[in-house]
Amino acid sequence: MLTRIDHIGIACFDLDKTVEFYRATYGFEVFHTEINEEQGVREAMLKINGTSDGGASYLQLLEPTREDSTVAKWLAKNGEGVHHIAFGTEDVLGDSEAIRGKGVRVLYDQPRTGSMGSQITFLHPKDCGGVLTELVTSHPEH
Ligand code: CMX
Ligand code: CO
């Protein structure tokens, strides 16, 4: 069951500059940074709220690490902006399989590693009204 907004993914050309915008404008601080080579991104997670069941919500700021990454391709076409939304679930594989059964393309057969040790998959934006949609099962610590 999808129970919350896990994060909103925002693509940018310059991660440090974008982090500074969110700090100076809203007071959001960086909770975590990492490079995900498989996804081709350097990212900063800004924690917006925490909840008692461990299901926090974040902004995920994304800068491409290589020319052929999906985010680089998207930035070249669209410029900076909202790239995807992500719903949280305790069972990313089970929920994605159920959604696949409704005729929505799921991009991965098995969940892959996302931010902070989470397990993630994506739904094709063309089957979701133009919204690239990620499903996330957080690492138990987050
Ligand atoms: N939101 C909405 N539509 C999108 C999109 C996005 N983020 N990315 C691509 N599209 C649309 C394009 O506009 C295009 O539409 P048109 O045919 O009408 O022009 C269509 O989808 C195909 O786009 P494309 O540029 O040819 O891109 P690809 O098909 O090569 O890749 C996708 C699209 C969704 C398969 C790819 O972006 C993907 O695999 N995404 C999942 C992984 C990812 O995004 N990783 C980065 C984030 C990591 C994280 O969150 O941790
Ligand atoms: Co994401």
Side-chain angles (χ1 to χ4, degrees), residues 7-9 43 60 62 84-86 115 120 122 134 136:
H7 65 266
I8 297 169
E43 59 176 78
Q60 180 184 40
L62 301 158
H84 64 274
I85 62 168
S115 306
I120 62 172
F122 289 89
E134 180 181 351
V136 184

Side-chain angles (χ1 to χ4, degrees), residues 7 36 39 41 43 60 62 70-71 73-74 77-78 83-84 107-108 114-115 120 122 124-126 130-132 134:
H7 65 266
N36 186 327
Q39 294 292 338
V41 293
E43 59 176 78
Q60 180 184 40
L62 301 158
T70 56
V71 171
K73 194 174 171 187
W74 188 88
K77 189 173 170 186
N78 302 284
H83 179 257
H84 64 274
L107 298 184
Y108 306 150
S115 306
I120 62 172
F122 289 89
H124 201 288
K126 289 292 173 189
V131 180
L132 175 60
E134 180 181 351

